[in-house]
Amino acid sequence: MICHKLNSLMYLVGLIVTTAGGSYVSSWSVSQEGSSDSLFGFDTRSKVTLRFHERGDAQLFEFIEWIPPSSCAFSSTNNTDSYLTCPEGSYDISVKMRRKDSNDTITESKFIRFLDQPFCYKWNTFTDLSEWTNRGEARLRIWVTDPVYQGSAESNSLAKHPSQHSRRLTNLFQDSGQEPIPLEVFPETKDELQWNNVSYSLNGYWTVSMNIGERLQYIVRIEGKPGLTVNACLIRPTKVSISIPKFKTQMPSEGNLKLTGLLDLKKSIKDPCAIHVVVSIRNIVLFTQNGFLTTSEVYVNNTSMSEGDMLVDVAFTLDKLYFLMTSGQLLYMTTDGTFRSVKGVRSLGLTSIRSIEICLPSKNFLLKSREMLLAWNEMQIYLLEDGDTFHELLVPEDLTQISATGERVQVLIVDADFSANIDTVNVMLRIGNSSIVVLCYNLISQQWTRLGFWITDLSLHFQMKTYSGTVESIVFWNEEMLFLSERKGEGSSSFTFKERHDVNHSKTYLDKIENVEFCDNSHAFVQMITGILYYGTMEDRALLEISSLPPDRFLYCDVLGSVHSIFAHSANWTSKELILRNAELNSAFHSIDGEFSCLFIHFETMTGLKALYYIDRNESLFLWSRLTYTTSVYNDINVFNSKAKYISVNERSTVDYNHGRKTLNKSIVIQSSVDFYQSKDYNDSLQDATGLLTIQMKPLKAGVGCLTERSMTTHVAVGCPPGRHVRVHKPVQCTSFGTFILPSGSSIDEDGKAVLEAREVELDTNEYGCPLMSSHDTTFKPNLLLYEDDQFIEIVSVDYILYELQRRTDFTYNATQKEVGCRRPCQTWSHMKDSVGENSPFIWGPSNYRRCFVDDGTLEVSLDLPYEILNQTGLSALEWTKNELDQLYIFHLTVVEPNYSFCSLNTQFAVVVQGSLVGTQSSNEMTLFIFVSFTAITLSLGIASYAFFRKEHMAGWKRNQASEQEDTEGFEDKEDEEEMSQSEEEHMAARKQQRRHTVLEG
């Protein structure tokens, strides 16, 4: 247990701060519009702004003049705001000031480096969401700008179309064959941007269509075809963010009230999954959904909030934005802009709220509740789950006793937050008037523990934040110190403040911490009340003075890792200025006389690194990085893993030597190592083996002077990947099926008794899909497939079981336990029903599955029972009882192999077993088929007979007509004969009668 005295820490911090007492009171800064914060200096093409910040009565120094380098062009030496441009090189730029208390003249200098860059231009973008509706296609407009000549809207990232100069420049690049290539940076495995065709508009921009997924913010790196120039200048690859609004907001109206904040509050709360969505509480309440490009006021309907109520605190959850009011009322806004009030909260007297401050995927197995919120006052702390259920977390008295006498002291809650692993709540307590401790409440085990350190002799208010790195740490601070507790309290250290060296400065003034802003978890920016800005990393514990902010500014770190100073003119108008971190750091290192250096040459990480990966029980993840350093200094790549239990990280290294340099290549393979057969409790082991894992690879030795990339960090969700499931391979199209007859005695009821009456059942193809077809005289086994969403992964070859949902018993298995090689009695449905006491498909699964191939010393028993477990390659399969009619079986399938997947893999399907009689689906349908067939045949024969009769009849009639015409032709030539003998008439009549008879017979 480690005890730290605050007095010694205050002396260390106060001593270092006061050694540079004059630097903060001078409060002047250097900036350059349109420059990139990745540069280690300033661009020679653009003007640099020098600004001396006036601070009224708090000002110890007053401005006299600037002293510019002789080779630089300077606008004015006598104005507090001035501009200069310099050729490539390094310069000392100075300001002359006068101390107000002694009238002494003091000169202070900053080292500035100017770089002549071949990248004169950059890509500019506008995200067109005019036709975008709730996750769909949007359009990204891209054009080329020159920071020197860009329009004001372009410089503020508000332009929807290129300026006139940018339009001409973009047309020149289009004519040269240039085209933007957008690439997503750190995509998520499950939610990558999908890019479509690129088209060019005569208005001077390219349009790229993209399919947006579930996330609200994306980082895109835009590159172009290499080597294409205009005026001998290239386009710099540019990182941009695509931001999607999360909330619909209320508009001012007669029934709405405007949110206002307490005057002494100064805090900004970001949505962890959409850090472009921010609520800032100052003298006014600012709300932005595009990273302070624009801001607005927040209006609440008067039925939810009382007039005069003021905002105290804010917290974001996955779907809501919570507002804590001075009245103790807790409101929340949903994504559709609707406000509601949490019932039963006002009487609790809450003063603070806090939500989970790391981003989790929306389809996440880690969260038991979708909404989790901490709310507390000085005496009680509560956990809000799912928006309406409050549970008080009772702090045990035995963990708050500090003195050996066990004297009862007052315990007050100072601050609280969630741990990086989500399963723990950290609570900072003040014990009496002199000690601070941190207690941890495990949300799963519901147990309290205390971290192994405390701080004594405190009189100032502390704030706390969990640093979600690979080794979970807690950062806390007050006005005079910044402190880090590592490895859950096993180690601890303070941050040291390093100022720019100047021997002329006073050593009597002690500065105070106003705010701490964290970027990418590992980068800290500390803002002092005098405007001085410090920067450092969690690894180095050193904070370097890099710049100075004007009065009434606050910091905002965007999704790109860039830091901006924000000034609110009003709720609807803010100014945003980029802090050139690397250029300022380069200046700071020079001013500290080379005290800090970088102990490696280059650190390279794998391309295509994703922000979040998913791995299941049988999967692995491959990562690599490369470190180049000099042979004179030993170095290595350290691999850190935030969740060591049941996680295997295998490392492999190779080293190349080249002219005094070493290049170390290190790869790692990450996979789950849990073996559920060796665990005592499946559910406990599952809880320990799954979770959010942070993997970090970084040089063993770095140094504050390393301005390039110095670590590779990614997150791994160990558990069931979203969308993973199993399917039985079956037809996708089929005709409708009629009813089936379940024979008497073929099934049992809920009590296990045989159903003696035959009954009709129907197949619901909407629920079970098309059935598989089988025959009564063949064995059956389904083909089981593993899918992720609609993507096929593999054929499932592990053990699974089948439960007949109609409780049919007229089938069996073709192999016995002895035949498949069991060495002890195997589990069966009958055995599981008897041991659990119920009959359902969920009584048997991975949590209680036991293999029969291990000899556990069981006395010899019969192994002649059927083996009721199936797999792709095993001997066992289903055998059907012979039935005359077609039979319908409906199965629930469950994968029982525990070491195959963390997912609950089950599905349902139907099987139609053809009966021994020739027919189709059922007896009714067979009768219908026979009747229809007989009718069709009869009709066919009738139609054929009629056609044949008609054909022959017509042929005979034509022959008869021809014969009659032939017989009467002779009489027509003898019209003059008046009489005909009777014998001839009779003869003609006989011949006609004979021919008619012949025709009828035919």
Side-chain angles (χ1 to χ4, degrees):
M1 190 171 291
I2 303 172
C3 178
H4 295 276
K5 298 291 183 180
L6 178 62
N7 287 342
S8 61
L9 291 174
M10 285 180 60
Y11 174 77
L12 172 64
V13 177
L15 175 64
I16 297 173
V17 171
T18 54
T19 58
S23 67
Y24 63 78
V25 278
S26 63
S27 190
W28 62 286
S29 61
V30 183
S31 62
Q32 185 175 47
E33 187 177 289
S35 187
S36 171
D37 60 344
S38 63
L39 292 179
F40 305 129
F42 297 92
D43 190 0
T44 58
R45 298 180 68 248
S46 303
K47 63 184 180 181
V48 169
T49 301
L50 302 178
R51 183 172 290 119
F52 190 92
H53 307 303
E54 300 286 354
R55 291 187 176 273
D57 295 338
Q59 189 84 8
L60 183 60
F61 291 84
E62 63 180 0
F63 174 80
I64 298 178
E65 65 175 346
W66 301 105
I67 305 175
S70 57
S71 55
C72 298
F74 210 77
S75 63
S76 173
T77 60
N78 299 321
N79 293 333
T80 55
D81 288 7
S82 191
Y83 308 97
L84 80 159
T85 55
C86 301
E88 187 172 34
S90 300
Y91 307 91
D92 282 322
I93 297 177
S94 304
V95 60
K96 185 182 291 186
M97 305 168 291
R98 181 182 292 109
R99 281 187 66 111
K100 290 182 178 181
D101 56 352
S102 64
N103 211 33
D104 293 338
T105 300
I106 295 175
T107 301
E108 184 177 80
S109 301
K110 284 187 178 182
F111 171 82
I112 297 182
R113 183 182 181 187
F114 283 84
L115 303 172
D116 190 4
Q117 293 288 311
F119 298 97
C120 307
Y121 315 122
K122 66 176 185 178
W123 299 100
N124 208 325
T125 63
F126 168 70
T127 305
D128 182 8
L129 299 175
S130 59
E131 298 181 6
W132 174 83
T133 54
N134 192 24
R135 311 293 175 268
E137 186 174 88
R139 292 188 296 271
L140 184 67
R141 295 177 189 167
I142 306 174
W143 64 90
V144 184
T145 61
D146 185 340
V148 178
Y149 302 106
Q150 64 185 355
S152 59
E154 291 173 326
S155 62
N156 294 322
S157 301
L158 294 173
K160 298 181 179 180
H161 299 87
S163 63
Q164 186 175 358
H165 184 276
S166 298
R167 187 183 303 117
R168 289 197 300 265
L169 181 61
T170 306
N171 284 331
L172 289 174
F173 272 104
Q174 163 69 13
D175 293 340
S176 70
Q178 185 60 274
E179 186 176 87
I181 304 172
L183 302 168
E184 186 180 359
V185 180
F186 298 126
E188 288 191 7
T189 307
K190 288 287 186 177
D191 192 12
E192 295 187 42
L193 278 178
Q194 302 296 321
W195 304 101
N196 298 323
N197 59 308
V198 179
S199 61
Y200 188 73
S201 169
L202 295 178
N203 292 323
Y205 57 83
W206 291 274
T207 299
V208 183
S209 298
M210 54 187 176
N211 290 327
I212 295 176
E214 294 186 352
R215 284 181 291 155
L216 295 170
Q217 196 158 37
Y218 300 84
I219 303 175
V220 176
R221 177 182 171 91
I222 301 177
E223 300 178 354
K225 295 179 181 179
L228 297 179
T229 65
V230 169
N231 299 326
C233 280
L234 300 167
I235 309 173
R236 181 186 305 281
T238 309
K239 283 185 181 180
V240 299
S241 64
I242 297 175
S243 302
I244 311 299
K246 182 174 182 177
F247 297 95
K248 293 181 180 179
T249 54
Q250 299 278 353
M251 300 301 294
S253 67
E254 185 177 347
N256 290 342
L257 300 175
K258 182 174 68 175
L259 272 183
T260 58
L262 290 177
L263 295 179
D264 57 344
L265 278 181
K266 292 183 178 180
K267 63 169 62 176
S268 297
I269 309 297
K270 294 183 287 190
D271 189 322
C273 289
I275 63 177
H276 59 289
V277 182
V278 189
V279 175
S280 181
I281 310 174
R282 296 294 190 277
N283 56 338
I284 55 178
V285 176
L286 303 175
F287 180 62
T288 180
Q289 297 198 82
N290 54 18
F292 289 102
L293 295 178
T294 58
T295 55
S296 64
E297 298 170 320
V298 179
Y299 288 88
V300 184
N301 54 67
N302 55 15
T303 58
S304 299
M305 186 183 77
S306 303
E307 190 168 358
D309 215 355
M310 304 182 75
L311 183 61
V312 175
D313 209 349
V314 174
F316 288 91
T317 60
L318 289 176
D319 298 320
K320 299 181 180 69
L321 172 54
Y322 284 86
F323 300 91
L324 180 63
M325 311 305 293
T326 52
S327 63
Q329 189 176 15
L330 185 61
L331 309 175
Y332 64 86
M333 180 174 68
T334 58
T335 54
D336 63 0
T338 303
F339 274 87
R340 293 184 175 86
S341 177
V342 179
K343 297 180 180 179
V345 174
R346 190 188 295 265
S347 61
L348 300 179
L350 301 176
T351 57
S352 301
I353 55 176
R354 185 76 60 86
S355 61
I356 296 173
E357 295 186 343
I358 63 172
C359 182
L360 300 173
S362 57
K363 301 175 182 177
N364 199 280
F365 52 84
L366 301 171
L367 287 179
K368 302 299 182 291
S369 300
R370 188 167 180 81
E371 303 290 330
M372 296 181 69
L373 187 78
L374 291 174
W376 68 92
N377 55 36
E378 287 189 336
M379 306 300 295
Q380 294 96 15
I381 182 168
Y382 302 89
L383 177 67
L384 175 67
E385 295 186 87
D386 293 328
D388 58 1
T389 305
F390 263 105
H391 306 285
E392 183 176 358
L393 307 181
L394 298 174
V395 179
E397 293 185 3
D398 60 322
L399 293 180
T400 60
Q401 297 296 329
I402 300 298
S403 62
T405 61
E407 181 182 355
R408 190 177 184 86
V409 293
Q410 187 180 35
V411 178
L412 300 178
I413 298 173
V414 178
D415 206 351
D417 73 350
F418 289 93
S419 70
N421 292 330
I422 312 164
D423 57 359
T424 304
V425 172
N426 300 318
V427 182
M428 178 180 284
L429 302 174
R430 182 185 298 278
I431 310 298
N433 296 319
S434 60
S435 301
I436 288 284
V437 300
V438 175
L439 301 186
C440 303
Y441 178 78
N442 189 288
L443 296 172
I444 300 171
S445 65
Q446 299 183 356
Q447 299 295 318
W448 287 93
T449 56
R450 190 174 73 190
L451 294 188
F453 75 96
W454 70 79
I455 306 171
T456 59
D457 300 330
L458 300 182
S459 59
L460 300 174
H461 180 73
F462 268 84
Q463 298 180 65
M464 175 177 66
K465 177 180 174 62
T466 298
Y467 164 49
S468 57
T470 51
V471 179
E472 183 169 321
S473 306
I474 297 176
V475 183
F476 53 98
W477 66 94
N478 58 20
E479 292 181 355
E480 298 176 348
M481 65 170 286
L482 186 68
F483 193 78
L484 180 69
S485 171
E486 302 174 286
R487 299 182 298 278
K488 296 186 177 180
E490 297 176 8
S492 54
S493 61
S494 62
F495 285 76
T496 56
F497 289 71
K498 299 291 185 181
E499 283 75 24
R500 301 174 188 269
H501 177 67
D502 194 319
V503 296
N504 293 323
H505 283 169
S506 168
K507 299 181 181 180
T508 60
Y509 192 91
L510 183 64
D511 207 351
K512 306 290 185 181
I513 296 176
E514 180 179 35
N515 183 41
V516 180
E517 177 78 4
F518 294 94
C519 293
D520 301 331
N521 271 319
S522 61
H523 301 275
F525 292 84
V526 181
Q527 181 182 356
M528 313 301 285
I529 59 174
T530 55
I532 288 294
L533 183 63
Y534 293 89
Y535 163 78
T537 65
M538 297 299 176
E539 293 85 0
D540 298 317
R541 314 287 196 277
L543 296 166
L544 277 69
E545 178 193 340
I546 62 170
S547 186
S548 177
L549 301 179
D552 301 320
R553 298 267 177 162
F554 61 93
L555 296 176
Y556 166 68
C557 183
D558 63 20
V559 70
L560 303 177
S562 300
V563 182
H564 307 263
S565 66
I566 309 295
F567 177 72
H569 303 274
S570 67
N572 299 307
W573 177 30
T574 54
S575 298
K576 180 178 178 181
E577 185 174 300
L578 176 66
I579 296 173
L580 303 178
R581 177 179 58 186
N582 285 346
E584 293 279 12
L585 282 173
N586 188 65
S587 174
F589 296 148
H590 185 272
S591 302
I592 303 174
D593 300 326
E595 180 181 344
F596 297 94
S597 60
C598 186
L599 300 179
F600 63 84
I601 299 170
H602 183 64
F603 180 68
E604 181 183 358
T605 61
M606 62 183 290
T607 57
L609 182 70
K610 299 182 186 298
L612 177 67
Y613 294 89
Y614 294 89
I615 59 172
D616 205 346
R617 170 62 186 86
N618 262 345
E619 295 175 332
S620 60
L621 174 64
F622 175 82
L623 302 171
W624 67 265
S625 62
R626 180 181 294 122
L627 178 68
T628 302
Y629 56 97
T630 61
T631 55
S632 60
V633 178
Y634 172 75
N635 216 330
D636 197 357
I637 298 176
N638 279 354
V639 178
F640 296 91
N641 169 19
S642 65
K643 186 180 179 66
K645 192 171 185 180
Y646 295 135
I647 295 295
S648 170
V649 180
N650 298 315
E651 302 180 22
R652 181 180 179 183
S653 301
T654 60
V655 179
D656 300 324
Y657 295 88
N658 186 15
H659 301 292
R661 294 183 175 186
K662 286 184 180 180
T663 299
L664 172 64
N665 302 280
K666 178 165 286 190
S667 62
I668 59 175
V669 177
I670 306 160
Q671 58 187 23
S672 173
S673 59
V674 65
D675 185 354
F676 288 107
Y677 290 117
Q678 303 299 323
S679 60
K680 295 182 179 180
D681 186 275
Y682 173 86
N683 292 321
D684 289 345
S685 298
L686 180 65
Q687 183 66 49
D688 291 338
T690 56
L692 191 64
L693 168 70
T694 302
I695 294 291
Q696 187 178 65
M697 301 178 73
K698 65 179 183 179
L700 171 66
K701 299 177 181 178
V704 183
C706 299
L707 301 181
T708 58
E709 191 172 14
R710 53 192 294 167
S711 67
M712 180 188 76
T713 304
T714 188
H715 300 284
V716 183
V718 183
C720 179
R724 181 156 294 186
H725 63 282
V726 289
R727 301 179 186 178
V728 168
H729 183 62
K730 54 189 174 183
V732 294
Q733 291 183 344
C734 54
T735 58
S736 60
F737 291 81
T739 58
F740 295 83
I741 304 298
L742 268 65
S744 171
S746 63
S747 61
I748 58 175
D749 59 18
E750 293 182 356
D751 298 326
K753 298 179 181 179
V755 178
L756 301 179
E757 295 181 357
R759 54 194 174 107
E760 290 186 354
V761 294
E762 293 185 357
L763 171 61
D764 186 351
T765 55
N766 292 326
E767 182 174 359
Y768 302 108
C770 293
L772 297 171
M773 304 302 295
S774 184
S775 177
H776 70 92
D777 55 356
T778 61
T779 59
F780 171 80
K781 190 189 309 184
N783 291 321
L784 190 59
L785 311 175
L786 184 66
Y787 274 80
E788 198 158 299
D789 296 323
D790 288 327
Q791 182 179 0
F792 170 74
I793 299 176
E794 65 181 16
I795 297 174
V796 179
S797 59
V798 297
D799 292 351
Y800 61 87
I801 54 176
L802 297 177
Y803 179 93
E804 213 289 322
L805 294 175
Q806 303 170 112
R807 297 193 180 94
R808 296 194 65 155
T809 57
D810 56 342
F811 65 92
T812 185
Y813 296 83
N814 68 334
T816 65
Q817 299 176 15
K818 183 177 182 180
E819 288 173 336
V820 300
C822 287
R823 302 181 64 183
R824 64 181 179 186
C826 183
Q827 292 170 314
T828 62
W829 279 111
S830 176
H831 168 260
M832 299 306 294
K833 292 169 189 174
D834 292 341
S835 60
V836 176
E838 62 175 287
N839 184 4
S840 82
F842 305 104
I843 61 175
W844 191 4
S847 61
N848 57 5
Y849 173 67
R850 188 184 67 170
R851 293 178 297 183
C852 68
F853 304 104
V854 179
D855 190 353
D856 61 355
T858 305
L859 297 176
E860 277 205 29
V861 293
S862 173
L863 297 177
D864 294 328
L865 292 176
Y867 183 69
E868 299 182 3
I869 301 167
L870 308 177
N871 61 45
Q872 185 71 20
T873 58
L875 178 63
S876 187
L878 294 186
E879 282 187 342
W880 312 110
T881 300
K882 186 175 181 180
N883 282 286
E884 293 182 345
L885 303 179
D886 292 357
Q887 295 297 309
L888 173 66
Y889 297 83
I890 302 175
F891 290 103
H892 180 96
L893 183 150
T894 302
V895 175
V896 292
E897 172 55 55
N899 286 335
Y900 178 66
S901 174
F902 293 120
C903 303
S904 177
L905 298 176
N906 51 72
T907 186
Q908 296 178 348
F909 65 97
V911 182
V912 171
V913 181
Q914 293 180 343
S916 57
L917 294 180
V918 178
T920 54
Q921 320 319 322
S922 64
S923 59
N924 292 342
E925 294 188 7
M926 187 190 309
T927 303
L928 177 62
F929 175 77
I930 293 172
F931 172 76
V932 171
S933 299
F934 175 79
T935 304
I937 293 172
T938 303
L939 287 174
S940 299
L941 290 175
I943 292 171
S945 300
Y946 173 76
F948 180 76
F949 167 80
R950 179 173 176 79
K951 179 180 178 181
E952 290 300 321
H953 174 74
M954 293 301 296
W957 181 79
K958 289 180 180 180
R959 287 194 299 269
N960 187 34
Q961 290 295 323
S963 178
E964 288 180 353
Q965 183 177 0
E966 180 181 343
D967 291 338
T968 58
E969 283 178 353
F971 296 104
E972 291 174 356
D973 294 336
K974 300 178 181 179
E975 292 180 355
D976 54 340
E977 295 182 4
E978 296 179 353
E979 293 181 356
M980 179 181 295
S981 65
Q982 183 66 32
S983 59
E984 289 179 336
E985 290 179 356
E986 291 177 357
H987 176 70
M988 290 295 296
R991 288 185 62 188
K992 290 179 181 179
Q993 184 66 29
Q994 183 180 6
R995 286 172 181 168
R996 290 193 183 96
H997 181 70
T998 303
V999 170
L1000 290 175
E1001 285 183 350

